[in-house]
Amino acid sequence: MNFKNVTVAGSGVLGYQIAFQTAFHGFKVSVYDINNEVLAKAKAKFYELCECYKQDLNATQEQLDNTFNNLSYHSNLAEAVKDADLLVEAVPEDANIKTEFYKQLSQVAPEKTLFATNTSTMLPSHFKDLTGRPEKFLALHFSNKIWTFNMAEIMGHAGTDKKVFDDVVEFAKAIGMMALPIYKEQPGHLLNSMLVPFLISATELWVKEVSDHEMIDRAWMKSFGSPLGPFAILDIIGINTVYNVAKLNAETNPNMTPLMEKLDAEFIKPGHLGMFAGKGFYSYPNPTYASEDFLKS
Ligand code: NAD
């Protein structure tokens, strides 16, 4: 692996974390998003991340200064990718947006650039033919709060070059991840293959008003000594992504329509987009589930 320059496309919930973590580990990172206004928001979020890195990783001011020196910001895709050894795509979980993105990217990226998608629910083989370089394309999937939940799942499609796969495994390690290679293409990788059915079951209880989100979380947390219940996890994932997944599934599964509609009315429209927005199912920075009283009888 001989990467120096990495481009991260999309600076939302996951993209800005991937960019910062990569820059923190010494790579030059070009952050690409649709306009300068969104990029300014990402920059502001980088300053918030500094506190997390200081608190959780004992990061020094010098390390954080170097991280900022490694970051550059672009709203022009050709410029953002012109030197990239690797592009990590973290644009919204929407097949149409990703399709358009890969069509544009394949026109402007240098031949050497490897492409990695951070999609949580789609497969690299869905997009491989749009990339113009299927053998240099695979999935590199991170978890939210990347600096502490530092694992990366690496999953190629049948035509991904073995060296490309191995290089991306090495890259993941180089940015401080526990690398989890996946040997067969699997929707949801390892984590989401387990997590998504669990979260869907929890949201079904909520949509049917079997109980409220706090009681459902309590049932899970108390039984397993878990610090998080399903609705706290949904807030961490971000309600935007949850809504997009529900919308995608509703196209083929009408049972998902009530969830999609309820999320839209109660969370998307009023802007309650989860932990990073300060409000989702819970209010932040002090959600009730984190208080000592939450699990008291
Ligand atoms: P998000 O909606 O928070 O952010 C998406 C970003 O992409 C936004 O900044 C948006 O402006 C930008 N964008 C939109 N169109 C674009 C385009 N054409 N080119 C470049 N940027 C564009 O989404 P997210 O939650 O960060 O998810 C991004 C990807 O990461 C998805 O594929 C998702 O499945 C995956 N992912 C998300 C999580 C999570 O917990 N949120 C975890 C793992 C993986």
Side-chain angles (χ1 to χ4, degrees):
M1 193 268 297
N2 200 15
F3 302 163
K4 287 193 180 68
N5 302 310
V6 177
T7 299
V8 178
S11 62
V13 173
L14 248 282
Y16 88 97
Q17 298 180 32
I18 300 166
F20 198 81
Q21 178 77 11
T22 305
F24 184 75
H25 283 270
F27 294 86
K28 293 282 175 202
V29 179
S30 300
V31 185
Y32 167 70
D33 212 307
I34 45 175
N35 59 43
N36 289 334
E37 205 184 338
V38 185
L39 287 167
K41 282 191 190 148
K43 204 168 185 179
K45 287 188 291 184
F46 290 146
Y47 284 100
E48 288 170 20
L49 267 187
C50 287
E51 290 313 308
C52 303
Y53 276 62
K54 279 183 191 163
Q55 214 169 11
D56 298 334
L57 304 179
N58 293 323
T60 63
Q61 194 54 48
E62 189 187 356
Q63 282 177 305
L64 295 169
D65 290 344
N66 289 339
T67 304
F68 277 97
N69 287 337
N70 285 336
L71 288 161
S72 61
Y73 305 87
H74 308 267
S75 56
N76 177 303
L77 183 56
E79 191 195 300
V81 79
K82 74 177 168 29
D83 297 320
D85 299 302
L86 172 70
L87 175 136
V88 182
E89 172 267 305
V91 309
E93 192 68 351
D94 175 314
N96 294 328
I97 295 179
K98 287 198 194 287
T99 296
E100 276 314 304
F101 175 76
Y102 282 113
K103 278 188 192 163
Q104 281 178 33
L105 179 66
S106 65
Q107 302 295 314
V108 295
E111 206 186 316
K112 67 168 183 175
T113 311
L114 313 186
F115 298 167
T117 176
N118 185 44
T119 177
S120 294
T121 60
M122 297 178 236
L123 294 173
S125 53
H126 288 168
F127 302 107
K128 68 176 169 47
D129 294 330
L130 301 168
T131 62
R133 63 197 70 199
E135 71 291 349
K136 291 184 186 150
F137 178 56
L138 77 179
L140 173 59
H141 183 246
F142 296 97
S143 288
N144 206 336
K145 296 187 86 178
I146 181 173
W147 65 98
T148 47
F149 300 145
N150 53 329
M151 67 167 209
E153 298 172 292
I154 300 100
M155 180 175 81
H157 58 86
T160 304
D161 186 279
K162 167 92 170 65
K163 167 134 184 18
V164 168
F165 187 90
D166 292 345
D167 280 352
V168 174
V169 169
E170 287 313 307
F171 167 73
K173 292 180 188 166
I175 60 166
M177 298 293 116
M178 177 177 75
L180 299 172
I182 297 178
Y183 308 126
K184 266 190 193 164
E185 223 182 14
Q186 159 73 22
H189 316 91
L190 302 179
L191 173 63
N192 282 332
S193 295
M194 300 181 275
L195 183 64
V196 172
F198 165 64
L199 295 178
I200 288 176
S201 301
T203 54
E204 272 173 9
L205 295 172
W206 173 69
V207 170
K208 289 182 191 160
E209 298 180 353
V210 173
S211 194
D212 61 59
H213 70 275
E214 290 196 333
M215 293 303 167
I216 300 167
D217 273 1
R218 282 187 176 109
W220 186 262
M221 292 164 71
K222 192 75 172 171
S223 303
F224 292 104
S226 167
L228 300 174
F231 291 92
I233 295 173
L234 290 169
D235 273 355
I236 292 172
I237 291 170
I239 307 298
N240 215 8
T241 291
V242 178
Y243 171 76
N244 283 334
V245 172
K247 193 169 150 205
L248 190 73
N249 284 327
E251 286 171 14
T252 51
N253 177 3
N255 291 339
M256 296 296 282
T257 307
L259 172 62
M260 181 191 85
E261 290 174 352
K262 198 164 157 70
L263 287 174
D264 188 35
E266 296 180 23
F267 292 88
I268 302 291
K269 289 211 169 88
H272 301 156
L273 300 182
M275 187 179 78
F276 283 84
K279 188 163 170 49
F281 284 95
Y282 294 92
S283 295
Y284 299 85
N286 298 309
T288 51
Y289 70 78
S291 79
E292 272 182 19
D293 291 342
F294 194 68
L295 295 182
K296 289 215 172 113
S297 44

